[in-house]
Amino acid sequence: MADSKPLRTLDGDPVAVEALLRDVFGIVVDEAIRKGTNASEKVCEWKEPEELKQLLDLELQSQGESRERILERCRAVIHYSVKTGHPRFFNQLFSGLDPHALAGRIITESLNTSQYTYEIAPVFVLMEEEVLKKLRALVGWNTGDGVFCPGGSISNMYAINLARFQRYPDCKQRGLRALPPLALFTSKECHYSITKGAAFLGLGTDSVRVVKADERGKMIPEDLERQISLAEAEGSVPFLVSATSGTTVLGAFDPLDAIADVCQRHGLWLHVDAAWGGSVLLSRTHRHLLDGIQRADSVAWNPHKLLAAGLQCSALLLRDTSNLLKRCHGSQASYLFQQDKFYNVALDTGDKVVQCGRRVDCLKLWLMWKAQGGQGLEWRIDQAFALTRYLVEEIKKREGFELVMEVAPVLKERMVKKGTMMIGYQPHGTRANFFRMVVANPILVQADIDFLLGELERLGQDL
Amino acid sequence: MADSKPLRTLDGDPVAVEALLRDVFGIVVDEAIRKGTNASEKVCEWKEPEELKQLLDLELQSQGESRERILERCRAVIHYSVKTGHPRFFNQLFSGLDPHALAGRIITESLNTSQYTYEIAPVFVLMEEEVLKKLRALVGWNTGDGVFCPGGSISNMYAINLARFQRYPDCKQRGLRALPPLALFTSKECHYSITKGAAFLGLGTDSVRVVKADERGKMIPEDLERQISLAEAEGSVPFLVSATSGTTVLGAFDPLDAIADVCQRHGLWLHVDAAWGGSVLLSRTHRHLLDGIQRADSVAWNPHKLLAAGLQCSALLLRDTSNLLKRCHGSQASYLFQQDKFYNVALDTGDKVVQCGRRVDCLKLWLMWKAQGGQGLEWRIDQAFALTRYLVEEIKKREGFELVMEVAPVLKERMVKKGTMMIGYQPHGTRANFFRMVVANPILVQADIDFLLGELERLGQDL
Ligand SMILES: Cc1ncc(COP(=O)(O)O)c(C=O)c1O
Ligand SMILES: Cc1ncc(COP(=O)(O)O)c(C=O)c1O
């Protein structure tokens, strides 16, 4: 079998490889980039699942396919995918297509290495260190530690695991049964990853004590005090507070200084989930929203959201300088982290994480930052705030923009099927379903906001 | 601030965006693809960390940089990075640069979406389902469940979490303190992620009971029986066995049928860590190495290793048909998984995972499979086995290829500084440091194996 190489393989044929990749890249430029960011093209091409399955012909066969067929497939995949870089895509906390970040991602993919050792990722080990240093400096720390994680949810889990390990190092070896019952605190507006994390880490969702938020969505520090006392009275040991800078639905920033005071009084680890709002630290005008963040023990910050670096790009930052990350997560595997290497093995990052292979997530952010400069990124943040303000003012001017009935799901269906735009909706407390407008795409201008409002009116005319 | 847009931003200038990306793509083709896979170019360009830092000028500044400068940076990043697609890169369990997989990765990056809902990833939700179905069929299952995870380590953790949840559903809410002490079993040759996982999940590393392996590295089922009795005698509740198909250092395949018998007798969850060896299922000639895998409850399989799909591509496969994944990991976040959507929300995968945003990891594998066909992939596996056999026979013919002294670290330093090739080494039990040869790159031919042996001789001449 091994000697009758199938005809169609390109293995070892560099000319054919290059030709294929050039063709695919051409399709990417035409379909995903040019059309995908063009306001007059559709943001999505809605199909019902059954129809889409037919159109895509997904089944994997024994026979390989011709080059032409493969190129058609590439076109179809892009055609029926949602264009998250499109100026009418407001559906998630990420949007926009930064060209330098995309360039960094393409290079990352072509190099296909893992971030665990200096040996196989010399450039990226040093680069990750530099990027993390920069992010830490924006938090307000001159030293510290950190690592890129596969998303903010896992960054949050790391923080919880580090906090319990710092308090009870025994936990790593002996497990939670050797510990008293633990309690962690976060507001009712927190991201669901805190609860998911508590379950995954073996603490159980009951260990998460929910703190009240005010009507804007900010944690109420007095209630945090109350919840801590309550947990203690019930025999639990409080160990961590997770504050949120930029909540998922309302975009609220918890009062970090007041929360840090509470943590200090009770000796609790302060984690700040700044997955969404962390990037605001780049703006001199708006960074006051995170005042007090320098008092945190850990910060989760997702440049793949507001900075449009591309999925995934999530940093966990630590104030710690005692090598807590490696002590907590290390296993000293001899096949990967040999101590008799010919370079300084302190550079190897593999024992900082619970992963083994770890994607390179720093290059896209680094390259974008080099190209835009801190200034350019700051401008984008300020622009997002300015457009949001514009949106609020325009809504006030228009009648009918206070939703009193359950129209969001209907409007959503109409916009998606028409393909004109995408916005997420959800209920919230006693509020009916409402649209969560996310202003993050760097190519947005006022006209896009005007279109959005006009289109909502058009779609809802008969309702 | 928001009205004085910095000069250099490309936001909203599609012509400049396209031009930049075309230039970067040209660099990728020249440097990463053409040179990066050319045997007469260096596999790495070794620099000491301090020197490399200088060369790369990593610091992030306030000012943005010119287009020319950015392109130079792209070139430098590639130049100083290790070429993992190079025919002399044998250093990790992944290597090779499959053009179709890379094409899939570039499309994935250009579309930049998250796998959590059908709404924003219609193509990829259906595609992931199809790819997982195919992988399950190769395991021997007609039904089941599964999901792509950020690496095999996290896939293994999922398996452990699912096994304990199935046994003690209370665990999710009440945590491990509500459970008896648990024990899981794996051989001494297992991947370190099992231990890391036990710590992260709150079980503690003590909960991992190490089963003896024979001299080839295979778990000894009789010792597994012994360890189970021992754990029970100590008051622990055994709940999971993690067998390995393709161990990290020796490439051993645990005897799955015998292990499944033990699991069946004791009512234990059988997980198979086939991160490395799973792809052997594609080969009709060699798949007998995994006989019995169809009796597993879960399987972790990394197509980014032996199939060269690109980091990351790791599937967790489940035999379960009771929606265990969603019951174990779900949180029903109302902002993302609205139940009043206009399509069948059973398609949304977000509640199968502990992540929120989740990268699209299926397209690269799907596209490569469509192009190569199952046959083409099978040929590659068979070829890897054939070349390995050739290597073993050649080693037997050559003198001096039984390492009796500690020469591996010295040879490693020499090959890396010369840039001719990269192979990993490690000690193992009573064996001295030895080279772990990984034959996975699909472009390898016999001449590459000959080069490898010759070069080891050349590098070690004076030792
Ligand atoms: C506040 C907050 N934290 C954490 C996360 C999770 O981040 P990721 O999707 O990268 O896991 C999100 C995602 O929306 C979020 O809004
Ligand atoms: C047997 C085995 N399992 C699991 C893993 C971990 O996979 P990943 O690097 O994707 O986390 C490895 C990695 O080498 C492995 O060899």
Side-chain angles (χ1 to χ4, degrees):
Chain A
M1 189 115 33
D3 10 74
S4 66
K5 200 161 164 176
L7 263 184
R8 249 188 292 283
T9 176
L10 304 179
D11 298 344
D13 180 349
V15 177
V17 166
E18 277 184 43
L20 173 85
L21 287 171
R22 280 189 201 282
D23 285 349
V24 171
F25 184 73
I27 294 172
V28 164
V29 168
D30 291 348
E31 302 291 326
I33 297 170
R34 191 175 318 132
K35 286 196 202 158
T37 59
N38 182 339
S40 52
E41 299 280 341
K42 284 185 177 182
V43 60
C44 62
E45 182 69 52
W46 174 262
K47 296 286 170 201
E48 294 296 331
E50 279 314 312
E51 188 187 355
L52 186 55
K53 257 187 217 172
Q54 298 302 318
L55 286 165
L56 293 171
D57 173 29
L58 290 167
E59 205 182 327
L60 297 170
Q61 315 275 2
S62 176
Q63 283 292 324
E65 293 185 344
S66 72
R67 178 184 156 136
E68 291 64 43
R69 194 79 194 85
I70 291 295
L71 294 178
E72 273 170 41
R73 292 194 176 281
C74 293
R75 247 181 241 107
V77 162
I78 299 176
H79 183 69
Y80 293 111
S81 286
V82 170
K83 307 303 181 298
T84 64
H86 193 285
R88 310 285 184 251
F89 180 81
F90 304 105
N91 210 74
Q92 312 303 135
L93 296 183
F94 61 89
S95 61
L97 193 146
D98 180 89
H100 296 100
L102 179 57
R105 302 205 294 272
I106 292 174
I107 295 171
T108 301
E109 294 302 327
S110 75
L111 291 171
N112 191 41
T113 197
S114 166
Q115 186 79 52
Y116 41 46
T117 61
Y118 183 78
E119 183 172 321
I120 69 154
V123 172
F124 302 125
V125 162
L126 298 178
M127 187 180 283
E128 182 174 69
E129 210 175 74
E130 189 68 30
V131 173
L132 291 170
K133 194 172 95 184
K134 187 74 188 181
L135 298 180
R136 279 196 307 264
L138 285 163
V139 166
W141 299 333
N142 294 324
T143 57
D145 203 349
V147 74
F148 278 92
C149 294
S153 300
I154 291 180
S155 294
N156 286 341
M157 285 180 210
Y158 268 45
I160 299 173
N161 193 40
L162 289 163
R164 76 177 174 189
F165 174 77
Q166 195 199 38
R167 186 129 180 173
Y168 299 104
D170 246 21
C171 175
K172 181 175 178 179
Q173 189 189 331
R174 298 179 57 215
L176 286 173
R177 283 182 47 87
L179 274 46
L182 301 177
L184 64 98
F185 303 81
T186 188
S187 94
K188 71 190 249 300
E189 296 294 324
C190 79
H191 187 256
Y192 67 76
S193 52
I194 302 294
T195 330
K196 282 199 176 188
F200 197 64
L201 296 170
L203 293 161
T205 54
D206 280 352
S207 69
V208 180
R209 308 292 178 121
V210 178
V211 181
K212 290 204 181 95
D214 65 19
E215 80 289 353
R216 302 294 295 273
K218 298 182 197 186
M219 187 191 286
I220 301 176
E222 296 72 29
D223 194 57
L224 172 59
E225 276 285 8
R226 243 189 323 273
Q227 295 299 332
I228 292 172
S229 308
L230 219 62
E232 282 173 340
E234 290 171 14
S236 288
V237 177
F239 75 108
L240 170 137
V241 175
S242 179
T244 313
S245 289
T247 61
T248 312
V249 175
L250 298 179
F253 288 79
D254 284 347
L256 299 182
D257 258 323
I259 293 169
D261 289 342
V262 177
C263 288
Q264 201 168 328
R265 258 198 306 282
H266 296 270
L268 306 184
W269 180 289
L270 174 55
H271 173 63
V272 178
D273 175 357
W276 170 231
S279 303
V280 174
L281 288 169
L282 279 153
S283 159
R284 282 163 292 182
T285 314
H286 300 288
R287 60 167 291 139
H288 65 86
L289 290 168
L290 296 98
D291 275 354
I293 195 168
Q294 74 286 353
R295 297 172 65 188
D297 296 286
S298 56
V299 171
W301 175 351
N302 280 12
H304 77 235
K305 296 192 195 284
L306 194 46
L307 287 183
L311 271 158
Q312 60 200 35
C313 188
S314 173
L316 176 75
L317 307 173
L318 294 172
R319 199 171 40 161
D320 173 77
T321 53
S322 73
N323 229 4
L324 186 69
L325 258 184
K326 279 198 185 173
R327 286 186 288 122
C328 180
H329 295 141
S331 78
Q332 285 105 38
S334 59
Y335 82 96
L336 204 50
F337 311 118
Q338 304 91 323
Q339 298 303 303
D340 53 1
K341 282 182 176 175
F342 62 93
Y343 63 86
N344 176 7
V345 293
L347 287 166
D348 292 353
T349 67
D351 259 350
K352 290 189 178 187
V353 297
V354 300
Q355 298 186 275
C356 173
R358 182 161 64 91
R359 286 180 53 81
V360 171
D361 290 332
C362 57
L363 173 61
K364 50 198 166 197
L365 178 56
W366 180 83
L367 196 65
M368 174 170 77
W369 205 309
K370 279 285 190 191
Q372 298 287 330
Q375 273 180 358
L377 299 178
E378 177 176 27
W379 183 86
R380 286 186 181 175
I381 305 292
D382 290 340
Q383 175 75 352
F385 274 94
L387 285 173
T388 306
R389 210 175 311 120
Y390 176 75
L391 172 64
V392 172
E393 277 153 23
E394 287 301 302
I395 287 178
K396 283 190 197 145
K397 287 189 207 153
R398 296 191 191 213
E399 284 173 20
F401 262 89
E402 219 170 307
L403 298 183
V404 284
M405 322 168 295
E406 279 286 336
V407 300
V410 179
L411 291 180
K412 175 71 177 247
E413 177 167 4
R414 291 182 183 180
M415 72 176 78
V416 169
K417 291 193 167 167
K418 211 173 145 196
T420 48
M421 60 184 188
M422 289 183 80
I423 322 179
Y425 70 86
Q426 59 275 299
H428 183 268
T430 55
R431 294 171 179 118
N433 269 321
F434 68 96
F435 283 112
R436 175 188 68 166
M437 257 302 292
V438 181
V439 180
N441 188 334
I443 62 174
L444 291 181
V445 293
Q446 287 194 357
D448 296 307
I449 305 292
D450 295 334
F451 173 87
L452 160 92
L453 294 169
E455 182 70 4
L456 278 176
E457 284 177 342
R458 280 189 292 279
L459 291 168
Q461 233 159 16
D462 58 329
L463 294 175
Chain B
M1 190 114 34
D3 11 73
S4 65
K5 201 160 164 177
L7 264 183
R8 249 187 293 281
T9 177
L10 304 178
D11 298 345
D13 180 349
V15 178
V17 167
E18 277 186 43
L20 172 84
L21 287 170
R22 280 190 201 281
D23 284 349
V24 171
F25 184 72
I27 294 171
V28 164
V29 168
D30 290 348
E31 302 292 326
I33 297 170
R34 191 176 317 133
K35 285 197 203 159
T37 60
N38 183 339
S40 52
E41 298 280 342
K42 284 185 176 182
V43 60
C44 62
E45 182 69 53
W46 174 262
K47 295 288 169 199
E48 295 295 331
E50 279 314 313
E51 188 187 354
L52 186 54
K53 257 188 217 173
Q54 298 303 319
L55 286 165
L56 293 171
D57 172 29
L58 290 167
E59 204 182 327
L60 296 169
Q61 315 274 1
S62 176
Q63 283 291 324
E65 294 185 343
S66 72
R67 179 184 156 135
E68 290 64 41
R69 194 80 194 84
I70 291 296
L71 295 177
E72 272 169 42
R73 293 193 175 283
C74 293
R75 249 182 239 105
V77 162
I78 300 175
H79 183 70
Y80 294 110
S81 286
V82 170
K83 306 305 182 297
T84 64
H86 193 285
R88 310 287 185 249
F89 180 81
F90 303 106
N91 211 73
Q92 313 301 136
L93 296 183
F94 60 90
S95 62
L97 192 147
D98 180 90
H100 296 100
L102 178 57
R105 302 205 295 271
I106 291 174
I107 295 171
T108 301
E109 293 302 327
S110 74
L111 291 171
N112 190 42
T113 196
S114 166
Q115 186 78 51
Y116 41 45
T117 61
Y118 182 79
E119 183 173 322
I120 69 154
V123 172
F124 302 124
V125 162
L126 299 178
M127 187 180 284
E128 182 175 69
E129 210 175 75
E130 189 67 30
V131 172
L132 291 170
K133 194 172 97 185
K134 187 75 187 182
L135 298 180
R136 278 197 307 265
L138 285 163
V139 166
W141 299 334
N142 294 324
T143 56
D145 202 350
V147 75
F148 278 92
C149 293
S153 300
I154 292 179
S155 293
N156 286 341
M157 285 180 211
Y158 269 44
I160 299 173
N161 193 41
L162 289 163
R164 74 177 175 189
F165 174 77
Q166 195 200 38
R167 187 129 181 173
Y168 299 104
D170 246 20
C171 175
K172 181 174 178 180
Q173 188 190 332
R174 298 180 55 216
L176 287 173
R177 283 182 48 87
L179 274 47
L182 301 177
L184 64 98
F185 302 82
T186 189
S187 94
K188 73 191 246 301
E189 295 294 325
C190 78
H191 187 256
Y192 67 77
S193 52
I194 302 295
T195 330
K196 282 198 176 189
F200 197 64
L201 296 170
L203 294 161
T205 54
D206 279 353
S207 69
V208 181
R209 308 292 176 122
V210 178
V211 181
K212 290 204 180 95
D214 66 20
E215 79 290 351
R216 300 294 296 271
K218 297 182 197 186
M219 187 191 285
I220 301 175
E222 295 72 27
D223 194 57
L224 173 59
E225 276 285 8
R226 243 189 323 272
Q227 295 299 332
I228 292 172
S229 308
L230 219 63
E232 282 173 340
E234 290 172 14
S236 289
V237 177
F239 74 109
L240 170 138
V241 176
S242 178
T244 313
S245 289
T247 61
T248 312
V249 176
L250 299 179
F253 288 79
D254 284 347
L256 299 182
D257 257 324
I259 293 170
D261 288 343
V262 178
C263 289
Q264 202 169 327
R265 257 197 307 281
H266 296 271
L268 306 185
W269 181 288
L270 174 56
H271 173 62
V272 177
D273 175 357
W276 170 230
S279 303
V280 174
L281 289 169
L282 280 153
S283 159
R284 282 163 293 183
T285 314
H286 300 286
R287 60 168 289 138
H288 65 86
L289 290 167
L290 296 100
D291 276 355
I293 194 167
Q294 74 285 355
R295 298 172 65 190
D297 295 285
S298 56
V299 171
W301 174 352
N302 280 12
H304 76 235
K305 297 192 195 284
L306 194 46
L307 286 183
L311 273 157
Q312 61 200 33
C313 188
S314 173
L316 176 76
L317 307 173
L318 295 172
R319 197 171 42 160
D320 173 77
T321 53
S322 73
N323 230 3
L324 187 68
L325 258 183
K326 278 198 187 176
R327 286 186 288 120
C328 180
H329 294 140
S331 78
Q332 286 105 38
S334 59
Y335 82 97
L336 203 50
F337 311 118
Q338 304 91 321
Q339 297 304 304
D340 53 1
K341 283 182 176 174
F342 62 93
Y343 63 87
N344 175 7
V345 292
L347 287 167
D348 291 352
T349 67
D351 259 350
K352 290 189 178 188
V353 296
V354 299
Q355 298 187 273
C356 173
R358 184 162 62 92
R359 287 179 52 81
V360 171
D361 289 333
C362 57
L363 173 60
K364 49 199 168 198
L365 178 57
W366 181 83
L367 196 65
M368 173 170 77
W369 206 310
K370 279 286 190 189
Q372 297 287 330
Q375 273 180 358
L377 298 178
E378 177 176 27
W379 183 86
R380 287 186 181 175
I381 305 292
D382 290 340
Q383 175 75 353
F385 274 93
L387 285 174
T388 305
R389 211 175 310 120
Y390 175 75
L391 172 64
V392 171
E393 277 152 22
E394 287 300 303
I395 287 177
K396 283 190 197 144
K397 287 188 206 153
R398 296 191 190 211
E399 285 172 18
F401 261 89
E402 220 170 306
L403 297 183
V404 284
M405 321 168 295
E406 278 287 336
V407 300
V410 179
L411 291 181
K412 175 70 177 248
E413 178 169 2
R414 291 182 183 178
M415 71 176 78
V416 168
K417 291 193 168 166
K418 212 172 143 196
T420 48
M421 60 184 189
M422 289 183 79
I423 321 178
Y425 70 87
Q426 60 273 301
H428 184 268
T430 56
R431 294 172 180 116
N433 268 321
F434 69 96
F435 283 112
R436 175 188 69 166
M437 256 302 292
V438 182
V439 180
N441 188 332
I443 62 173
L444 291 181
V445 293
Q446 287 193 358
D448 295 307
I449 304 293
D450 295 335
F451 173 85
L452 160 92
L453 294 169
E455 183 70 2
L456 278 177
E457 284 177 341
R458 279 189 292 278
L459 291 169
Q461 234 159 15
D462 59 329
L463 294 177

